[in-house]
PDB file of all heavy atoms in Angstrom:
ATOM      1  N   PRO A1329      -3.916  -3.380 -30.116  1.00 98.00           N
ATOM      2  CA  PRO A1329      -5.016  -4.116 -29.499  1.00 98.00           C
ATOM      3  C   PRO A1329      -6.349  -3.407 -29.742  1.00 98.00           C
ATOM      4  O   PRO A1329      -6.458  -2.193 -29.597  1.00 98.00           O
ATOM      5  CB  PRO A1329      -4.644  -4.117 -28.012  1.00 98.00           C
ATOM      6  CG  PRO A1329      -3.145  -4.034 -28.009  1.00 98.00           C
ATOM      7  CD  PRO A1329      -2.810  -3.132 -29.162  1.00 98.00           C
ATOM      8  N   GLY A1330      -7.340  -4.179 -30.152  1.00 98.00           N
ATOM      9  CA  GLY A1330      -8.654  -3.618 -30.458  1.00 98.00           C
ATOM     10  C   GLY A1330      -8.873  -3.331 -31.927  1.00 98.00           C
ATOM     11  O   GLY A1330     -10.020  -3.135 -32.350  1.00 98.00           O
ATOM     12  N   ASP A1331      -7.802  -3.293 -32.738  1.00 98.00           N
ATOM     13  CA  ASP A1331      -7.979  -3.127 -34.183  1.00 98.00           C
ATOM     14  C   ASP A1331      -8.719  -4.337 -34.741  1.00 98.00           C
ATOM     15  O   ASP A1331      -8.581  -5.456 -34.240  1.00 98.00           O
ATOM     16  CB  ASP A1331      -6.625  -2.999 -34.893  1.00 98.00           C
ATOM     17  CG  ASP A1331      -6.009  -1.622 -34.768  1.00 98.00           C
ATOM     18  OD1 ASP A1331      -6.706  -0.702 -34.295  1.00 98.00           O
ATOM     19  OD2 ASP A1331      -4.830  -1.472 -35.134  1.00 98.00           O
ATOM     20  N   GLN A1332      -9.477  -4.116 -35.796  1.00 98.00           N
ATOM     21  CA  GLN A1332     -10.241  -5.187 -36.426  1.00 98.00           C
ATOM     22  C   GLN A1332      -9.668  -5.470 -37.807  1.00 98.00           C
ATOM     23  O   GLN A1332      -9.521  -4.549 -38.627  1.00 98.00           O
ATOM     24  CB  GLN A1332     -11.713  -4.806 -36.505  1.00 98.00           C
ATOM     25  CG  GLN A1332     -12.341  -4.640 -35.131  1.00 98.00           C
ATOM     26  CD  GLN A1332     -13.783  -4.224 -35.182  1.00 98.00           C
ATOM     27  OE1 GLN A1332     -14.308  -3.874 -36.232  1.00 98.00           O
ATOM     28  NE2 GLN A1332     -14.456  -4.250 -34.051  1.00 98.00           N
ATOM     29  N   ILE A1333      -9.329  -6.718 -38.061  1.00 98.00           N
ATOM     30  CA  ILE A1333      -8.708  -7.128 -39.314  1.00 98.00           C
ATOM     31  C   ILE A1333      -9.409  -8.392 -39.822  1.00 98.00           C
ATOM     32  O   ILE A1333     -10.334  -8.907 -39.184  1.00 98.00           O
ATOM     33  CB  ILE A1333      -7.195  -7.379 -39.142  1.00 98.00           C
ATOM     34  CG1 ILE A1333      -6.943  -8.552 -38.165  1.00 98.00           C
ATOM     35  CG2 ILE A1333      -6.496  -6.103 -38.652  1.00 98.00           C
ATOM     36  CD1 ILE A1333      -5.478  -8.970 -38.070  1.00 98.00           C
ATOM     37  N   LEU A1334      -8.962  -8.894 -40.970  1.00 98.00           N
ATOM     38  CA  LEU A1334      -9.509 -10.115 -41.556  1.00 98.00           C
ATOM     39  C   LEU A1334      -8.480 -11.237 -41.470  1.00 98.00           C
ATOM     40  O   LEU A1334      -7.300 -11.028 -41.760  1.00 98.00           O
ATOM     41  CB  LEU A1334      -9.897  -9.887 -43.021  1.00 98.00           C
ATOM     42  CG  LEU A1334     -10.942  -8.812 -43.295  1.00 98.00           C
ATOM     43  CD1 LEU A1334     -11.189  -8.691 -44.793  1.00 98.00           C
ATOM     44  CD2 LEU A1334     -12.242  -9.101 -42.556  1.00 98.00           C
ATOM     45  N   TRP A1335      -8.947 -12.397 -41.109  1.00 98.00           N
ATOM     46  CA  TRP A1335      -8.133 -13.626 -41.081  1.00 98.00           C
ATOM     47  C   TRP A1335      -8.703 -14.509 -42.181  1.00 98.00           C
ATOM     48  O   TRP A1335      -9.804 -15.027 -42.069  1.00 98.00           O
ATOM     49  CB  TRP A1335      -8.259 -14.270 -39.707  1.00 98.00           C
ATOM     50  CG  TRP A1335      -7.492 -15.525 -39.448  1.00 98.00           C
ATOM     51  CD1 TRP A1335      -7.711 -16.754 -39.993  1.00 98.00           C
ATOM     52  CD2 TRP A1335      -6.400 -15.682 -38.515  1.00 98.00           C
ATOM     53  NE1 TRP A1335      -6.836 -17.671 -39.470  1.00 98.00           N
ATOM     54  CE2 TRP A1335      -6.023 -17.046 -38.560  1.00 98.00           C
ATOM     55  CE3 TRP A1335      -5.731 -14.819 -37.659  1.00 98.00           C
ATOM     56  CZ2 TRP A1335      -4.979 -17.547 -37.772  1.00 98.00           C
ATOM     57  CZ3 TRP A1335      -4.701 -15.330 -36.874  1.00 98.00           C
ATOM     58  CH2 TRP A1335      -4.335 -16.676 -36.935  1.00 98.00           C
ATOM     59  N   ARG A1336      -7.940 -14.679 -43.291  1.00 98.00           N
ATOM     60  CA  ARG A1336      -8.494 -15.338 -44.482  1.00 98.00           C
ATOM     61  C   ARG A1336      -7.668 -16.564 -44.865  1.00 98.00           C
ATOM     62  O   ARG A1336      -6.474 -16.651 -44.591  1.00 98.00           O
ATOM     63  CB  ARG A1336      -8.520 -14.370 -45.659  1.00 98.00           C
ATOM     64  CG  ARG A1336      -9.213 -13.057 -45.381  1.00 98.00           C
ATOM     65  CD  ARG A1336      -9.438 -12.243 -46.655  1.00 98.00           C
ATOM     66  NE  ARG A1336      -8.193 -11.887 -47.339  1.00 98.00           N
ATOM     67  CZ  ARG A1336      -8.130 -11.140 -48.427  1.00 98.00           C
ATOM     68  NH1 ARG A1336      -9.257 -10.665 -48.977  1.00 98.00           N
ATOM     69  NH2 ARG A1336      -6.968 -10.836 -48.993  1.00 98.00           N
ATOM     70  N   TYR A1337      -8.340 -17.488 -45.560  1.00 98.00           N
ATOM     71  CA  TYR A1337      -7.678 -18.650 -46.143  1.00 98.00           C
ATOM     72  C   TYR A1337      -7.989 -18.720 -47.630  1.00 98.00           C
ATOM     73  O   TYR A1337      -9.145 -18.588 -48.045  1.00 98.00           O
ATOM     74  CB  TYR A1337      -8.143 -19.940 -45.465  1.00 98.00           C
ATOM     75  CG  TYR A1337      -7.618 -20.102 -44.056  1.00 98.00           C
ATOM     76  CD1 TYR A1337      -8.406 -19.741 -42.958  1.00 98.00           C
ATOM     77  CD2 TYR A1337      -6.343 -20.595 -43.820  1.00 98.00           C
ATOM     78  CE1 TYR A1337      -7.923 -19.872 -41.675  1.00 98.00           C
ATOM     79  CE2 TYR A1337      -5.852 -20.731 -42.535  1.00 98.00           C
ATOM     80  CZ  TYR A1337      -6.644 -20.369 -41.464  1.00 98.00           C
ATOM     81  OH  TYR A1337      -6.164 -20.490 -40.181  1.00 98.00           O
ATOM     82  N   ARG A1338      -6.928 -18.938 -48.416  1.00 97.00           N
ATOM     83  CA  ARG A1338      -7.102 -19.139 -49.850  1.00 97.00           C
ATOM     84  C   ARG A1338      -7.730 -20.504 -50.113  1.00 97.00           C
ATOM     85  O   ARG A1338      -7.513 -21.462 -49.379  1.00 97.00           O
ATOM     86  CB  ARG A1338      -5.749 -19.062 -50.570  1.00 97.00           C
ATOM     87  CG  ARG A1338      -5.121 -17.699 -50.584  1.00 97.00           C
ATOM     88  CD  ARG A1338      -3.845 -17.710 -51.409  1.00 97.00           C
ATOM     89  NE  ARG A1338      -2.831 -18.565 -50.782  1.00 97.00           N
ATOM     90  CZ  ARG A1338      -1.965 -18.145 -49.868  1.00 97.00           C
ATOM     91  NH1 ARG A1338      -2.010 -16.896 -49.424  1.00 97.00           N
ATOM     92  NH2 ARG A1338      -1.070 -18.972 -49.367  1.00 97.00           N
ATOM     93  N   ARG A1339      -8.488 -20.543 -51.185  1.00 95.00           N
ATOM     94  CA  ARG A1339      -9.022 -21.827 -51.650  1.00 95.00           C
ATOM     95  C   ARG A1339      -7.847 -22.727 -52.024  1.00 95.00           C
ATOM     96  O   ARG A1339      -6.922 -22.309 -52.712  1.00 95.00           O
ATOM     97  CB  ARG A1339      -9.920 -21.592 -52.865  1.00 95.00           C
ATOM     98  CG  ARG A1339     -10.616 -22.840 -53.369  1.00 95.00           C
ATOM     99  CD  ARG A1339     -11.328 -22.560 -54.676  1.00 95.00           C
ATOM    100  NE  ARG A1339     -12.332 -21.517 -54.536  1.00 95.00           N
ATOM    101  CZ  ARG A1339     -13.600 -21.724 -54.194  1.00 95.00           C
ATOM    102  NH1 ARG A1339     -14.000 -22.950 -53.938  1.00 95.00           N
ATOM    103  NH2 ARG A1339     -14.448 -20.732 -54.108  1.00 95.00           N
ATOM    104  N   ASN A1340      -7.854 -23.955 -51.594  1.00 91.00           N
ATOM    105  CA  ASN A1340      -6.776 -24.877 -51.952  1.00 91.00           C
ATOM    106  C   ASN A1340      -6.749 -25.088 -53.459  1.00 91.00           C
ATOM    107  O   ASN A1340      -7.766 -25.407 -54.067  1.00 91.00           O
ATOM    108  CB  ASN A1340      -6.962 -26.208 -51.229  1.00 91.00           C
ATOM    109  CG  ASN A1340      -6.919 -26.056 -49.720  1.00 91.00           C
ATOM    110  OD1 ASN A1340      -7.958 -25.931 -49.079  1.00 91.00           O
ATOM    111  ND2 ASN A1340      -5.732 -26.042 -49.162  1.00 91.00           N
ATOM    112  N   GLY A1341      -5.591 -24.870 -54.037  1.00 78.00           N
ATOM    113  CA  GLY A1341      -5.455 -24.960 -55.475  1.00 78.00           C
ATOM    114  C   GLY A1341      -5.695 -23.653 -56.195  1.00 78.00           C
ATOM    115  O   GLY A1341      -5.597 -23.590 -57.415  1.00 78.00           O
ATOM    116  N   ALA A1342      -5.975 -22.554 -55.460  1.00 63.00           N
ATOM    117  CA  ALA A1342      -6.211 -21.248 -56.079  1.00 63.00           C
ATOM    118  C   ALA A1342      -4.889 -20.580 -56.407  1.00 63.00           C
ATOM    119  O   ALA A1342      -3.827 -20.997 -55.937  1.00 63.00           O
ATOM    120  CB  ALA A1342      -7.032 -20.362 -55.132  1.00 63.00           C
ATOM    121  N   PRO A1343      -4.898 -19.516 -57.232  1.00 51.00           N
ATOM    122  CA  PRO A1343      -3.669 -18.807 -57.561  1.00 51.00           C
ATOM    123  C   PRO A1343      -2.969 -18.316 -56.306  1.00 51.00           C
ATOM    124  O   PRO A1343      -3.609 -17.837 -55.374  1.00 51.00           O
ATOM    125  CB  PRO A1343      -4.168 -17.625 -58.404  1.00 51.00           C
ATOM    126  CG  PRO A1343      -5.496 -18.054 -58.915  1.00 51.00           C
ATOM    127  CD  PRO A1343      -6.079 -18.949 -57.868  1.00 51.00           C
ATOM    128  N   GLY A1344      -1.659 -18.456 -56.283  1.00 49.00           N
ATOM    129  CA  GLY A1344      -0.889 -18.007 -55.141  1.00 49.00           C
ATOM    130  C   GLY A1344      -0.798 -19.029 -54.037  1.00 49.00           C
ATOM    131  O   GLY A1344      -0.099 -18.833 -53.045  1.00 49.00           O
ATOM    132  N   GLY A1345      -1.477 -20.176 -54.196  1.00 50.00           N
ATOM    133  CA  GLY A1345      -1.462 -21.194 -53.169  1.00 50.00           C
ATOM    134  C   GLY A1345      -0.342 -22.192 -53.380  1.00 50.00           C
ATOM    135  O   GLY A1345       0.469 -22.082 -54.291  1.00 50.00           O
ATOM    136  N   SER A1346      -0.321 -23.219 -52.499  1.00 50.00           N
ATOM    137  CA  SER A1346       0.764 -24.188 -52.537  1.00 50.00           C
ATOM    138  C   SER A1346       0.332 -25.530 -53.102  1.00 50.00           C
ATOM    139  O   SER A1346       1.101 -26.471 -53.103  1.00 50.00           O
ATOM    140  CB  SER A1346       1.288 -24.413 -51.110  1.00 50.00           C
ATOM    141  OG  SER A1346       0.261 -24.929 -50.286  1.00 50.00           O
ATOM    142  N   GLY A1347      -0.906 -25.625 -53.604  1.00 47.00           N
ATOM    143  CA  GLY A1347      -1.420 -26.915 -54.041  1.00 47.00           C
ATOM    144  C   GLY A1347      -1.417 -27.081 -55.542  1.00 47.00           C
ATOM    145  O   GLY A1347      -0.458 -26.778 -56.242  1.00 47.00           O
ATOM    146  N   ALA A1348      -2.559 -27.522 -56.072  1.00 42.00           N
ATOM    147  CA  ALA A1348      -2.692 -27.825 -57.488  1.00 42.00           C
ATOM    148  C   ALA A1348      -2.913 -26.547 -58.283  1.00 42.00           C
ATOM    149  O   ALA A1348      -3.090 -25.472 -57.732  1.00 42.00           O
ATOM    150  CB  ALA A1348      -3.877 -28.779 -57.680  1.00 42.00           C
ATOM    151  N   PRO A1349      -2.909 -26.629 -59.619  1.00 40.00           N
ATOM    152  CA  PRO A1349      -3.189 -25.449 -60.438  1.00 40.00           C
ATOM    153  C   PRO A1349      -4.580 -24.898 -60.155  1.00 40.00           C
ATOM    154  O   PRO A1349      -5.433 -25.566 -59.573  1.00 40.00           O
ATOM    155  CB  PRO A1349      -3.087 -25.990 -61.871  1.00 40.00           C
ATOM    156  CG  PRO A1349      -2.253 -27.212 -61.760  1.00 40.00           C
ATOM    157  CD  PRO A1349      -2.568 -27.802 -60.423  1.00 40.00           C
ATOM    158  N   GLU A1350      -4.801 -23.687 -60.612  1.00 40.00           N
ATOM    159  CA  GLU A1350      -6.070 -23.001 -60.369  1.00 40.00           C
ATOM    160  C   GLU A1350      -7.259 -23.832 -60.844  1.00 40.00           C
ATOM    161  O   GLU A1350      -7.250 -24.391 -61.924  1.00 40.00           O
ATOM    162  CB  GLU A1350      -6.062 -21.656 -61.096  1.00 40.00           C
ATOM    163  CG  GLU A1350      -7.344 -20.881 -60.945  1.00 40.00           C
ATOM    164  CD  GLU A1350      -7.325 -19.590 -61.731  1.00 40.00           C
ATOM    165  OE1 GLU A1350      -6.287 -19.258 -62.311  1.00 40.00           O
ATOM    166  OE2 GLU A1350      -8.367 -18.938 -61.792  1.00 40.00           O
ATOM    167  N   ARG A1351      -8.293 -23.870 -59.991  1.00 43.00           N
ATOM    168  CA  ARG A1351      -9.520 -24.564 -60.406  1.00 43.00           C
ATOM    169  C   ARG A1351     -10.731 -23.663 -60.243  1.00 43.00           C
ATOM    170  O   ARG A1351     -11.846 -24.066 -60.530  1.00 43.00           O
ATOM    171  CB  ARG A1351      -9.723 -25.848 -59.599  1.00 43.00           C
ATOM    172  CG  ARG A1351     -10.027 -25.620 -58.130  1.00 43.00           C
ATOM    173  CD  ARG A1351     -10.469 -26.904 -57.468  1.00 43.00           C
ATOM    174  NE  ARG A1351     -10.938 -26.662 -56.119  1.00 43.00           N
ATOM    175  CZ  ARG A1351     -11.631 -27.526 -55.407  1.00 43.00           C
ATOM    176  NH1 ARG A1351     -11.957 -28.685 -55.921  1.00 43.00           N
ATOM    177  NH2 ARG A1351     -12.024 -27.236 -54.185  1.00 43.00           N
ATOM    178  N   ALA A1352     -10.551 -22.449 -59.706  1.00 45.00           N
ATOM    179  CA  ALA A1352     -11.664 -21.521 -59.520  1.00 45.00           C
ATOM    180  C   ALA A1352     -11.108 -20.104 -59.547  1.00 45.00           C
ATOM    181  O   ALA A1352      -9.983 -19.864 -59.147  1.00 45.00           O
ATOM    182  CB  ALA A1352     -12.373 -21.801 -58.205  1.00 45.00           C
ATOM    183  N   PRO A1353     -11.879 -19.134 -60.033  1.00 50.00           N
ATOM    184  CA  PRO A1353     -11.362 -17.781 -60.165  1.00 50.00           C
ATOM    185  C   PRO A1353     -11.228 -17.042 -58.840  1.00 50.00           C
ATOM    186  O   PRO A1353     -10.452 -16.121 -58.724  1.00 50.00           O
ATOM    187  CB  PRO A1353     -12.401 -17.102 -61.063  1.00 50.00           C
ATOM    188  CG  PRO A1353     -13.661 -17.885 -60.856  1.00 50.00           C
ATOM    189  CD  PRO A1353     -13.220 -19.285 -60.610  1.00 50.00           C
ATOM    190  N   ASP A1354     -12.012 -17.409 -57.829  1.00 63.00           N
ATOM    191  CA  ASP A1354     -11.956 -16.681 -56.565  1.00 63.00           C
ATOM    192  C   ASP A1354     -10.972 -17.364 -55.627  1.00 63.00           C
ATOM    193  O   ASP A1354     -11.145 -18.516 -55.282  1.00 63.00           O
ATOM    194  CB  ASP A1354     -13.349 -16.595 -55.929  1.00 63.00           C
ATOM    195  CG  ASP A1354     -14.042 -17.950 -55.856  1.00 63.00           C
ATOM    196  OD1 ASP A1354     -13.800 -18.786 -56.743  1.00 63.00           O
ATOM    197  OD2 ASP A1354     -14.805 -18.162 -54.907  1.00 63.00           O
ATOM    198  N   PRO A1355      -9.916 -16.670 -55.176  1.00 93.00           N
ATOM    199  CA  PRO A1355      -8.864 -17.340 -54.420  1.00 93.00           C
ATOM    200  C   PRO A1355      -9.179 -17.570 -52.951  1.00 93.00           C
ATOM    201  O   PRO A1355      -8.549 -18.414 -52.326  1.00 93.00           O
ATOM    202  CB  PRO A1355      -7.675 -16.394 -54.574  1.00 93.00           C
ATOM    203  CG  PRO A1355      -8.286 -15.050 -54.775  1.00 93.00           C
ATOM    204  CD  PRO A1355      -9.550 -15.299 -55.541  1.00 93.00           C
ATOM    205  N   PHE A1356     -10.141 -16.846 -52.370  1.00 96.00           N
ATOM    206  CA  PHE A1356     -10.418 -16.974 -50.941  1.00 96.00           C
ATOM    207  C   PHE A1356     -11.759 -17.663 -50.707  1.00 96.00           C
ATOM    208  O   PHE A1356     -12.741 -17.363 -51.381  1.00 96.00           O
ATOM    209  CB  PHE A1356     -10.429 -15.593 -50.275  1.00 96.00           C
ATOM    210  CG  PHE A1356      -9.108 -14.889 -50.383  1.00 96.00           C
ATOM    211  CD1 PHE A1356      -8.934 -13.858 -51.290  1.00 96.00           C
ATOM    212  CD2 PHE A1356      -8.028 -15.279 -49.599  1.00 96.00           C
ATOM    213  CE1 PHE A1356      -7.708 -13.221 -51.413  1.00 96.00           C
ATOM    214  CE2 PHE A1356      -6.799 -14.642 -49.712  1.00 96.00           C
ATOM    215  CZ  PHE A1356      -6.639 -13.611 -50.618  1.00 96.00           C
ATOM    216  N   HIS A1357     -11.782 -18.575 -49.746  1.00 97.00           N
ATOM    217  CA  HIS A1357     -13.050 -19.249 -49.439  1.00 97.00           C
ATOM    218  C   HIS A1357     -13.361 -19.241 -47.948  1.00 97.00           C
ATOM    219  O   HIS A1357     -14.420 -19.741 -47.552  1.00 97.00           O
ATOM    220  CB  HIS A1357     -13.070 -20.668 -50.001  1.00 97.00           C
ATOM    221  CG  HIS A1357     -12.144 -21.622 -49.312  1.00 97.00           C
ATOM    222  ND1 HIS A1357     -12.346 -22.981 -49.303  1.00 97.00           N
ATOM    223  CD2 HIS A1357     -11.004 -21.431 -48.603  1.00 97.00           C
ATOM    224  CE1 HIS A1357     -11.390 -23.586 -48.636  1.00 97.00           C
ATOM    225  NE2 HIS A1357     -10.559 -22.663 -48.193  1.00 97.00           N
ATOM    226  N   ILE A1358     -12.476 -18.709 -47.133  1.00 98.00           N
ATOM    227  CA  ILE A1358     -12.723 -18.552 -45.703  1.00 98.00           C
ATOM    228  C   ILE A1358     -12.290 -17.156 -45.299  1.00 98.00           C
ATOM    229  O   ILE A1358     -11.194 -16.717 -45.639  1.00 98.00           O
ATOM    230  CB  ILE A1358     -11.962 -19.596 -44.866  1.00 98.00           C
ATOM    231  CG1 ILE A1358     -12.491 -21.007 -45.162  1.00 98.00           C
ATOM    232  CG2 ILE A1358     -12.068 -19.287 -43.371  1.00 98.00           C
ATOM    233  CD1 ILE A1358     -11.690 -22.103 -44.490  1.00 98.00           C
ATOM    234  N   CYS A1359     -13.152 -16.464 -44.578  1.00 98.00           N
ATOM    235  CA  CYS A1359     -12.820 -15.129 -44.078  1.00 98.00           C
ATOM    236  C   CYS A1359     -13.476 -14.951 -42.712  1.00 98.00           C
ATOM    237  O   CYS A1359     -14.683 -15.171 -42.573  1.00 98.00           O
ATOM    238  CB  CYS A1359     -13.295 -14.039 -45.039  1.00 98.00           C
ATOM    239  SG  CYS A1359     -12.919 -12.370 -44.460  1.00 98.00           S
TER     240      CYS A1359
END
Side-chain angles (χ1 to χ4, degrees):
D1331 281 350
Q1332 296 178 350
I1333 63 173
L1334 300 179
W1335 181 291
R1336 307 191 299 183
Y1337 288 97
R1338 291 184 295 272
R1339 184 188 300 271
N1340 299 95
S1346 61
E1350 178 183 355
R1351 68 169 188 165
D1354 50 328
F1356 298 104
H1357 70 155
I1358 294 174
C1359 180

